[in-house]
Amino acid sequence: FLRYIFSGCIALIAHLSLMSILIEIFLIAPLLSSNIGFVFAIFVNFYLQYFFTFKSNEDIHKSFLKYFMFCLLGLFLNSLFFT
């Protein structure tokens, strides 16, 4: 359980850090910056969950595709509600 929490926290930090850099340094719109940070966090979270938390033996490409599609649905809903 602690590995799961740790992985999620690292992904959250990655999301917020990249979003802040894009907004503050590169002057990219907040919604776009948040979306880019979210996609980056998807990769961070997937790899941490796959290799560190669950140590999966499933095909990584199939697992990532399913995970990524589900996360994109979340991104779409998040963007819809905050637009």
Side-chain angles (χ1 to χ4, degrees):
F1 180 71
L2 292 177
R3 288 180 185 220
Y4 182 79
I5 297 294
F6 176 77
S7 298
C9 288
I10 295 297
L12 174 64
I13 291 168
H15 177 179
L16 296 177
S17 297
L18 182 57
M19 181 183 74
S20 296
I21 290 168
L22 292 174
I23 292 170
E24 299 297 328
I25 296 174
F26 294 102
L27 305 175
I28 296 176
L31 182 61
L32 179 59
S33 296
S34 180
N35 289 344
I36 293 169
F38 182 87
V39 171
F40 179 65
I42 288 172
F43 286 95
V44 171
N45 197 35
F46 175 79
Y47 284 103
L48 285 172
Q49 298 294 352
Y50 187 86
F51 292 109
F52 177 68
T53 304
F54 299 112
K55 299 178 183 173
S56 179
N57 293 326
E58 298 291 321
D59 179 56
I60 192 169
H61 298 101
K62 283 184 180 180
S63 296
F64 181 75
L65 183 60
K66 285 189 259 183
Y67 180 78
F68 190 73
M69 297 308 282
F70 184 73
C71 289
L72 284 182
L73 175 62
L75 176 62
F76 171 74
L77 293 174
N78 183 57
S79 297
L80 184 68
F81 290 122
F82 286 101
T83 306

